[in-house]
């Protein structure tokens, strides 16, 4: 009989396993990052104000993704743990709970679309054109958020049983559709009306909805280790507790980043809309830079969770060491590219001279802060896998709200020099890495060495 897919998490050589599981995730996440960047490139061709509007909308858009990823990570890790203990009925029940939570989150963001989008945009700018663009874009993204919630969930269900190739298909199809539809809807090609910023939002949500439908089909046809059984289903408070214990910190970690971006935009507003637009480009580039590392760390979560459930300390240690090494190499490679080529990168976004003056030194300085980021990202996934929710949650709060934002505000008020502000990112990231070193050593001794 062919080996059950999830069993490779406990048997396959670790280097081959991590490579096999992470490559499809990395490819799909890079495609996702590319279409986010392409989205901004097309919007920038409308005007710098249009790009600024999308930039100030991004924190809420990122919160949607944060909660989608967070809850799905919780579902994925718990499901993998049950499979490691050979409890397939419980694993299938976890998957159904994931569907329920995705539906609830979709409804919450419909409410946000109806009542909170306009106040949020008006808090960040007084320019009527930017306000109009921002409301148009964010309203559509929130109203149709069900696409991204279910797309991410179905990807994580495939990933949790080792079917990462199909994860790549699910996300890749959605992203490719978005890339194709972006110029058609934004500029009105092939007889379609010119929708501008609205067109970018419509292309995004259509890509996500189609990706979700593809993911559902693949889980039904290919994922033999879980079943969506609704007959006799009842809500389990124990399963919900475990999902939230693992996934809520992941959601809140990314949500904290979104709130931090909101405050960063308000700090940069004193330097004009070009500063906000330039940082918006940097944030998208940063997402692209981190995607391969996130792919490795996401692939590591089911491996660590499965082997934790199976009581295999040796494989957990192998997975951690290999993930940290690969993540650091990838981060350094991307950092070098950004430091050497900031001018052609900014030209892709139709940067104005003012935006170029701000953006070139910004990219080079912030890139230095990436050195410890690979290690920190992998550590966050380790903490999630071991249910160290408090540790995982406090790291981004420490990095951004205790160190980064106060430093940025202090430097702005004392110097008025925008180039000095970017140094705050370097200080914050290195402090966060020291924090991760301490708690990784502690958790490994207390949760792995003592229990396995």
């Amino acid at each position: 009989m062919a080996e059950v897919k999830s069993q490779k998490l406990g048997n396959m050589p670790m280097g081959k396993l991590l490579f096999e599981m992470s490559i499809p995730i990395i490819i799909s996440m890079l495609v996702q990052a590319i279409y986010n960047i392409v989205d901004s490139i097309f919007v920038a061709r409308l005007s710098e104000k249009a790009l600024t509007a999308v930039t100030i909308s991004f924190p809420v858009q990122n919160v949607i993704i944060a909660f989608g990823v967070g809850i799905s990570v919780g579902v994925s890790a718990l499901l993998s743990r049950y499979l490691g203990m050979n409890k397939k009925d419980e694993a299938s029940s976890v998957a159904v709970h994931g569907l329920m939570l995705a539906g609830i989150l979709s409804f919450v963001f419909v409410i946000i679309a109806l009542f909170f989008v306009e106040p949020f945009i008006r808090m960040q700018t007084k320019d009527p054109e930017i306000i109009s663009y921002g409301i148009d874009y964010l309203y559509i993204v929130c109203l149709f958020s069900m696409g991204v919630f279910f797309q991410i969930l179905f990807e994580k269900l495939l990933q949790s049983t080792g079917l990462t190739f199909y994860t790549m298909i699910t996300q890749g199809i959605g992203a490719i559709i978005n890339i194709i539809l972006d110029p058609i809807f934004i500029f009105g090609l092939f007889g379609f009306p010119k929708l501008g910023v609205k067109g970018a939002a419509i292309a995004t949500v259509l890509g996500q909805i189609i990706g979700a439908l593809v993911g559902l089909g693949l889980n039904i046809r290919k994922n033999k280790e879980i079943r969506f059984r609704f007959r006799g289903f009842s809500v389990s408070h124990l399963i919900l507790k475990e999902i939230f214990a693992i996934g809520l910190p992941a959601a809140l970690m990314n949500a904290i980043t979104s709130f931090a971006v909101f405050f960063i935009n308000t700090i940069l507003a004193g330097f004009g809309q070009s500063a906000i637009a330039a940082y918006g480009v940097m944030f998208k580039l940063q997402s692209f830079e981190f995607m391969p590392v996130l792919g490795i760390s996401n692939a590591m979560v089911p491996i660590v969770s499965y082997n934790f459930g199976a009581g295999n300390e040796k494989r957990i240690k192998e997975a951690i060491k290999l993930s940290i090494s690969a993540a650091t190499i990838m981060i350094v490679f991307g950092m070098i590219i950004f430091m050497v080529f900031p001018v052609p990168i900014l030209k892709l976004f139709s940067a104005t001279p003012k935006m170029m003056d701000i953006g070139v030194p910004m990219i080079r300085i912030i890139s230095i802060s990436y050195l410890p980021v690979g290690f920190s990202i992998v550590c966050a996934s380790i903490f999630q896998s071991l249910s160290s929710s408090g540790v995982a949650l406090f790291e981004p709060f420490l990095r951004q709200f205790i160190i980064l934002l106060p430093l940025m505000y202090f430097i702005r008020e004392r110097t008025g020099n925008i180039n000095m502000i970017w140094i705050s990112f370097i200080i914050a990231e290195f402090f966060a890495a020291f924090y991760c070193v301490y708690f990784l050593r502690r958790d490994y001794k207390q949760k792995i060495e003592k229990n396995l």
Side-chain angles (χ1 to χ4, degrees):
M1 181 180 292
E3 181 185 42
V4 176
K5 271 286 183 181
S6 67
Q7 289 180 356
K8 72 179 183 180
L9 300 175
N11 299 325
M12 185 179 288
M14 187 56 64
K16 181 181 178 182
L17 174 63
L18 191 63
F19 180 83
E20 182 179 298
M21 291 192 65
S22 64
I23 288 300
I25 301 174
I26 290 171
I27 293 172
S28 64
M29 294 183 83
L30 282 175
V31 173
Q32 185 85 4
I34 289 170
Y35 92 68
N36 283 333
I37 290 173
V38 169
D39 214 37
S40 294
I41 290 173
F42 285 127
V43 168
R45 292 183 181 178
L46 293 171
S47 68
E48 187 179 287
K49 289 187 177 183
L51 179 60
T52 303
V54 171
T55 297
I56 64 176
S57 301
F58 192 70
V60 173
Q61 192 176 9
N62 207 42
V63 166
I64 294 172
I65 296 171
F67 278 93
V69 170
I71 295 303
S72 298
V73 164
V75 170
S76 172
L78 183 59
L79 194 151
S80 294
R81 190 181 302 171
Y82 278 133
L83 289 175
M85 294 185 287
N86 201 29
K87 296 181 177 180
K88 292 191 175 182
D89 288 341
E90 287 86 346
S92 293
S93 180
V94 171
V96 178
H97 279 78
L99 291 175
M100 178 187 72
L101 291 173
I104 292 171
L105 285 171
S106 301
F107 178 75
V108 168
F109 277 92
V110 168
I111 301 301
I112 289 173
L114 296 175
F115 297 104
F116 298 105
V117 162
E118 183 172 346
F120 175 79
I121 297 296
R122 290 185 181 277
M123 286 172 66
Q124 298 178 81
T125 181
K126 294 181 180 179
D127 187 298
E129 190 175 354
I130 295 176
I131 290 171
S132 178
Y133 284 145
I135 292 172
D136 287 345
Y137 183 84
L138 194 54
Y139 179 80
I140 294 169
V141 167
C142 290
L143 192 63
F144 296 97
S145 62
M146 78 288 290
V148 70
F149 285 126
F150 283 101
Q151 181 185 13
I152 292 171
L153 174 65
F154 292 136
E155 289 168 7
K156 293 298 181 184
L157 291 178
L158 292 165
Q159 179 186 326
S160 66
T161 55
L163 299 172
T164 50
F165 174 76
Y166 297 112
T167 298
M168 179 180 68
I169 292 176
T170 299
Q171 196 171 57
I173 287 176
I176 290 168
I177 288 171
N178 180 277
I179 292 171
I180 293 171
L181 294 181
D182 252 338
I184 294 174
F185 290 165
I186 292 172
F187 303 115
L189 305 180
F190 308 116
F192 284 86
K194 182 179 179 181
L195 298 175
V197 172
K198 283 184 181 179
I202 292 170
T204 295
V205 298
L206 278 177
Q208 291 164 347
I209 290 169
I210 293 171
L213 292 173
V214 172
L216 173 61
L218 288 172
N219 271 284
I220 292 172
R221 292 174 60 86
K222 301 295 184 180
N223 203 344
K224 304 301 182 184
E225 298 195 58
I226 58 174
R227 293 288 183 270
F228 299 121
R229 296 192 181 101
F230 299 98
R231 182 177 297 177
F233 171 76
S234 61
V235 175
S236 166
H237 294 93
L238 177 62
I239 288 177
L240 288 177
K241 181 181 176 181
E242 286 293 318
I243 290 173
F244 285 126
I246 300 169
L248 192 57
L252 292 177
M253 280 189 293
N254 288 316
I256 285 170
T257 299
S258 300
F259 290 121
V261 170
F262 168 78
F263 287 111
I264 288 170
N265 286 339
T266 60
I267 291 172
L268 295 178
F271 297 97
Q273 72 179 40
S274 294
I276 296 175
Y279 179 71
V281 169
M282 183 69 213
F283 195 81
K284 292 289 180 76
L285 293 173
Q286 178 175 289
S287 299
F288 183 79
E289 160 80 344
F290 294 167
M291 283 301 177
V293 178
L294 289 167
I296 291 172
S297 64
N298 282 347
M300 185 196 65
V301 169
I303 297 173
V304 172
S305 296
Y306 182 96
N307 287 285
F308 187 72
N312 194 330
E313 179 188 350
K314 180 181 177 182
R315 286 182 67 78
I316 293 173
K317 191 172 183 178
E318 273 188 282
I320 291 172
K321 285 185 174 181
L322 196 57
S323 297
I324 290 173
S325 299
T328 301
I329 291 170
M330 288 184 173
I331 282 288
V332 171
F333 178 74
M335 182 189 76
I336 292 170
I337 291 175
F338 286 162
M339 293 187 74
V340 175
F341 302 108
V343 173
I345 287 172
L346 285 168
K347 285 182 177 178
L348 287 173
F349 296 88
S350 307
T352 61
K354 177 67 173 175
M355 191 174 158
M356 193 71 75
D357 289 341
I358 294 171
V360 171
M362 174 195 67
I363 290 174
R364 285 180 171 151
I365 295 170
I366 291 180
S367 292
I368 299 171
S369 73
Y370 294 168
L371 274 172
V373 167
F375 170 77
S376 298
I377 290 175
V378 172
C379 283
S381 292
I382 296 168
F383 298 145
Q384 292 165 29
S385 299
L386 300 177
S387 299
S388 293
S389 56
V391 174
L393 180 58
F394 188 70
E395 186 272 334
F397 185 81
L398 168 71
R399 172 166 40 89
Q400 296 180 101
F401 282 90
I402 295 179
I403 302 172
L404 177 62
L405 288 170
L407 264 177
M408 289 184 71
Y409 182 79
F410 176 80
I411 293 172
R412 188 193 72 174
E413 295 302 303
R414 282 301 184 95
T415 69
N417 185 338
I418 193 169
N419 289 334
M420 293 293 294
I421 286 178
W422 312 128
I423 297 174
S424 307
F425 288 84
I426 301 174
I427 297 171
E429 291 294 352
F430 275 91
F431 264 98
F434 291 137
Y435 170 92
C436 289
V437 168
Y438 174 81
F439 283 103
L440 178 61
R441 289 171 61 88
R442 189 205 68 172
D443 277 13
Y444 192 87
K445 289 180 180 179
Q446 292 183 359
K447 296 198 173 188
I448 297 176
E449 289 183 345
K450 286 186 178 180
N451 295 321
L452 300 183

